[in-house]
Amino acid sequence: MTSEGKHADTVLDPLFIEESEEGYRNPTEVKMSQIVLPCHANHCGELSVGQLLKWMDSTACLSAERHAGCINLNAALPWCISNSFLTLTEHYVVNIIAKVNRAFTSSMEVGILVTCEDLYTDRQWKVCHAFATFVARRTEAGKVQLKQVIPHTQMEQMEYSLAAERRRMRLIHAEIITDLLSKCQEYQDAVPAERTRVESVELVLPPHANHQVSTFGGQIMAWMENVATIAASRLCNAHPTLRSIDMFHFRGPSHIGDRLVLKAIVNNSFKHSMEVGVCAEAYQGGEPLRHINSAFMTFEVLDSDRKPSTLPRIRPEPVDGKRRYQEAIARKKIRLDRKYIISCKQTEVPLSVPWDPSNQMYLSYNNVSALKLMDTRNNWVLTSEKNKVRLYTLEENHVLCFKVEMHVGVPAEQTFHLLSDLRRRKEWDQHYESVTECEVINQADEEDTLYRVATPSVSKRGKGKDFILLASRRKPCDARDPYLIALRSVTLPTHPPTEDYTRGEVLCAGFTIWEESSTVTKITYYNQATPGVLPYISTDIAGLSSSFYSAFSACSDFLEANKDSLASLQKLT
């Protein structure tokens, strides 16, 4: 979380603007507005983060219940982005909007937007943006089957599509942590972590329970934030500022009469930040402790100029302390990758981002998300049409995008497999016929492949171009998703630019493959044009050539010719 945008006069979220203009309101949308009062402040005169988490949890829970039509269990609060501290002022109002982005079988993702307004000046700014996952409780009849979210606007379609990618990231988060642990190093001369350990107990009383007769999730988060702040203060001997929360994970419920044991310790400290691990355990009477919640919180200490101070290093405890120490380094690496690859605007990130196994998940997410964003745009302009192949263009903010759309009489899954292998593209795309090389550099996993594609020059005198491409494939989560093949440039230390080729860049390209029936498939090819790509397509967009129509007609013939052989191969495997 950063303090960016705190003093900016801004229109806060295009999602809500778009809907208010059309007179449409999302049926799952819940709004909460709270005046900041002295009782909501910490000792520094700032809005307590614990209080803010209570409000966010309550709003998101009500949104989830509105969609599910039943009582829900708060499962996790993955992360918050762009948090700005709120200095206590009586005329500030905190506004929270929550809405369900997508529902899966028994879980749903709720998007939460927190803004602040100054009632005296009408100034508004974004405080934070978060995603929470809620799981519907089982009923006597068995597991709940949630109804699907039907997106109505372009922004709702975008969030619906991206929710599947965020879910995928959450599910493989633990695997990435494990992969990174072997690369961590320790600092020896440092403050003992034991000095920061905090343990506190809370008795759950009726005022702490929500309308579901369980301990209010926001209250548990507030208690956890409190002990985490104490642990961080013991390291820095100053008041720390919470900057980010990584994975509030609710493992089980708590009820009135429970004793909640809250434990916190600084797992690791870096130059300007520290990670505090927090867990909550519950018990009644003589029963054993139940682990009900855990989270990782990142703190900074600001100096008089509101700049981060340098922090002392931590010396971990043996065994579990060293494990937590190393895992904190891995999580920091993931947060930096996420911030660099996902949170930045595309204009702020180089076209080619370095690829390595530790950031593969986020590069893959960015790759697929960029294609999904292009697919949800609804202001494409039909440039021309020939033989049922349509060419569209879209020009915004000095960026030119184009898409080619057609239908084929081949099942969607077979189309997906045939188009996924770039090495076969020269069988139908004349732009690839002269490709001198198209090799697989790295088969990262079943969904991500790295290719090197080398092409001769468009002109007779110039150098050829080569591309290092990440191809990310996705099968649909359900019938409302397409098959996806997303392409973008990356850089690899093992494959630097050479004198024989000019290194080309692909910012965003790929295919969406929609199943319209068991035998009819709609294929759409997208490309966000870059200087390396424009020479190959500029004459088509200008109407001076029809090479793209020829290429995609050849693509249709290629798919028809190979569908039977692929179907036979799939039966054998």
Side-chain angles (χ1 to χ4, degrees):
M1 304 179 184
T2 65
S3 57
E4 64 180 359
K6 183 185 174 190
H7 297 293
D9 294 322
T10 176
V11 178
L12 297 160
D13 196 313
L15 170 63
F16 307 114
I17 298 165
E18 175 188 55
E19 294 176 357
S20 62
E21 288 178 350
E22 297 178 1
Y24 162 79
R25 179 168 177 174
N26 187 303
T28 70
E29 181 180 291
V30 173
K31 298 181 179 180
M32 176 186 286
S33 295
Q34 295 282 354
I35 295 179
V36 179
L37 301 174
C39 61
H40 300 142
N42 57 28
H43 63 280
C44 290
E46 300 168 359
L47 173 63
S48 165
V49 175
Q51 181 61 60
L52 179 59
L53 289 171
K54 288 183 185 180
W55 291 338
M56 292 170 65
D57 179 65
S58 178
T59 311
C61 180
L62 293 175
S63 174
E65 288 185 357
R66 179 173 288 184
H67 177 73
C70 65
I71 295 175
N72 292 275
L73 173 66
N74 190 354
L77 184 67
W79 61 76
C80 302
I81 305 170
S82 300
N83 184 48
S84 57
F85 59 90
L86 294 179
T87 302
L88 176 63
T89 307
E90 292 180 358
H91 51 275
Y92 279 8
V93 172
V94 174
N95 297 307
I96 304 172
I97 302 179
K99 60 182 68 175
V100 177
N101 291 331
R102 183 164 183 164
F104 301 95
T105 303
S106 60
S107 66
M108 68 195 92
E109 180 192 274
V110 179
I112 311 162
L113 176 67
V114 183
T115 63
C116 189
E117 65 175 303
D118 187 330
L119 294 177
Y120 290 0
T121 64
D122 287 334
R123 184 167 55 88
Q124 299 183 47
W125 62 93
K126 180 178 176 179
V127 176
C128 70
H129 190 197
F131 302 100
T133 301
F134 286 76
V135 177
R137 289 180 175 175
R138 291 176 180 269
T139 63
E140 294 181 359
K143 198 170 185 179
V144 174
Q145 175 68 51
L146 294 172
K147 63 183 178 182
Q148 290 295 310
V149 171
I150 301 176
H152 287 83
T153 68
Q154 179 180 326
M155 292 300 294
E156 285 184 3
Q157 179 61 52
M158 179 191 72
E159 291 295 349
Y160 177 93
S161 188
L162 294 181
E165 280 300 296
R166 287 189 286 263
R167 180 172 182 261
R168 175 179 175 273
M169 290 171 63
R170 288 193 290 272
L171 293 176
I172 64 176
H173 184 270
E175 298 176 16
I176 302 299
I177 291 289
T178 301
D179 292 340
L180 289 174
L181 289 183
S182 60
K183 304 176 182 179
C184 300
Q185 298 178 352
E186 297 180 12
Y187 288 85
Q188 297 301 322
D189 51 339
V191 176
E194 178 63 28
R195 186 184 301 174
T196 69
R197 184 181 295 278
V198 179
E199 182 172 318
S200 180
V201 66
E202 298 283 352
L203 175 61
V204 180
L205 300 173
H208 302 140
N210 58 24
H211 59 295
Q212 303 168 10
V213 200
S214 298
T215 310
F216 182 35
Q219 179 63 67
I220 297 175
M221 290 191 284
W223 283 334
M224 293 175 70
E225 186 269 335
N226 179 60
V227 294
T229 301
I230 295 172
S233 300
R234 287 181 176 174
L235 175 70
C236 61
N237 297 321
H239 177 67
T241 299
L242 180 63
R243 285 306 185 203
S244 69
I245 302 171
D246 194 353
M247 291 289 182
F248 257 125
H249 188 72
F250 286 79
R251 300 173 182 271
S254 167
H255 306 285
I256 295 172
D258 277 350
R259 280 71 170 168
L260 260 58
V261 180
L262 304 144
K263 301 176 182 178
I265 191 170
V266 176
N267 290 333
N268 205 335
S269 62
F270 308 96
K271 185 175 182 181
H272 296 304
S273 66
M274 70 185 95
E275 180 193 277
V276 180
V278 198
C279 77
E281 298 172 324
Y283 72 94
Q284 285 199 20
E287 68 180 23
L289 291 172
R290 310 187 313 273
H291 185 186
I292 63 168
N293 204 330
S294 58
F296 303 100
M297 304 185 185
T298 302
F299 289 86
E300 291 178 351
V301 177
L302 303 180
D303 60 20
S304 57
D305 296 324
R306 307 300 295 179
K307 294 182 180 179
S309 302
T310 302
L311 300 175
R313 293 291 184 178
I314 276 285
R315 184 171 70 249
E317 300 173 298
V319 191
D320 283 346
K322 288 187 176 181
R323 173 186 56 79
R324 292 192 298 265
Y325 180 97
Q326 293 176 329
E327 289 177 351
I329 298 174
R331 279 186 291 270
K332 180 178 174 64
K333 172 71 168 64
I334 288 176
R335 282 193 295 270
L336 290 174
D337 288 338
R338 187 170 66 211
K339 180 179 179 181
Y340 180 69
I341 296 169
I342 298 174
S343 300
C344 294
K345 297 177 182 178
Q346 288 187 334
T347 55
E348 299 170 349
V349 180
L351 297 187
S352 283
V353 178
W355 182 93
D356 65 61
S358 67
N359 70 1
Q360 174 190 335
M361 177 172 68
Y362 296 102
L363 273 175
S364 182
Y365 171 89
N366 176 269
N367 193 17
V368 172
S369 298
L371 183 62
K372 286 185 173 184
L373 289 174
M374 208 180 295
D375 183 53
T376 58
R377 304 304 297 269
N378 56 14
N379 51 343
W380 292 92
V381 176
L382 178 63
T383 302
S384 55
E385 180 178 0
K386 182 178 180 180
N387 298 329
K388 297 184 179 180
V389 178
R390 298 181 178 89
L391 175 64
Y392 297 82
T393 58
L394 174 64
E395 188 171 0
E396 284 186 347
N397 301 322
H398 307 291
V399 175
L400 175 66
C401 302
F402 67 92
K403 73 174 182 178
V404 181
E405 188 177 274
M406 69 175 183
H407 288 78
V408 295
V410 180
E413 186 173 6
Q414 293 181 21
T415 301
F416 172 68
H417 287 293
L418 287 168
L419 294 180
S420 290
D421 190 348
L422 287 188
R423 293 170 297 185
R424 301 199 64 178
R425 188 159 169 176
K426 61 183 178 182
E427 297 180 37
W428 59 269
D429 189 346
Q430 71 266 30
H431 296 95
Y432 272 64
E433 285 179 357
S434 56
V435 167
T436 54
E437 294 180 57
C438 184
E439 59 174 324
V440 174
I441 299 173
N442 188 336
Q443 183 71 53
D445 55 33
E446 292 183 359
E447 295 183 321
D448 292 320
T449 306
L450 293 167
Y451 292 90
R452 177 178 178 268
V453 179
T455 65
S457 172
V458 176
S459 62
K460 295 182 179 180
R461 297 182 180 180
K463 289 184 179 182
K465 284 187 177 294
D466 70 342
F467 301 82
I468 306 298
L469 298 177
L470 169 64
S472 301
R473 313 186 321 156
R474 295 288 189 276
K475 292 183 178 181
C477 282
D478 55 45
R480 298 184 63 84
D481 285 321
Y483 291 87
L484 288 168
I485 305 166
L487 303 169
R488 67 157 296 156
S489 288
V490 295
T491 58
L492 285 174
T494 56
H495 289 74
T498 63
E499 294 182 358
D500 298 331
Y501 293 94
T502 301
R503 180 57 51 88
E505 304 280 3
V506 174
L507 183 57
C508 176
F511 295 90
T512 63
I513 301 166
W514 291 91
E515 182 180 47
E516 298 204 340
S517 72
S518 60
T519 57
V520 177
T521 299
K522 184 176 79 171
I523 301 174
T524 308
Y525 173 75
Y526 293 91
N527 200 308
Q528 184 170 331
T530 60
V533 174
L534 276 173
Y536 299 95
I537 52 92
S538 57
T539 54
D540 287 271
I541 293 176
L544 302 176
S545 171
S546 59
S547 62
F548 256 89
Y549 302 103
S550 300
F552 279 85
S553 294
C555 177
S556 179
D557 295 338
F558 162 76
L559 295 171
E560 290 280 358
N562 288 275
K563 68 177 181 179
D564 294 331
S565 60
L566 180 61
S568 300
L569 180 61
Q570 288 174 334
K571 288 180 180 179
L572 291 175
T573 56

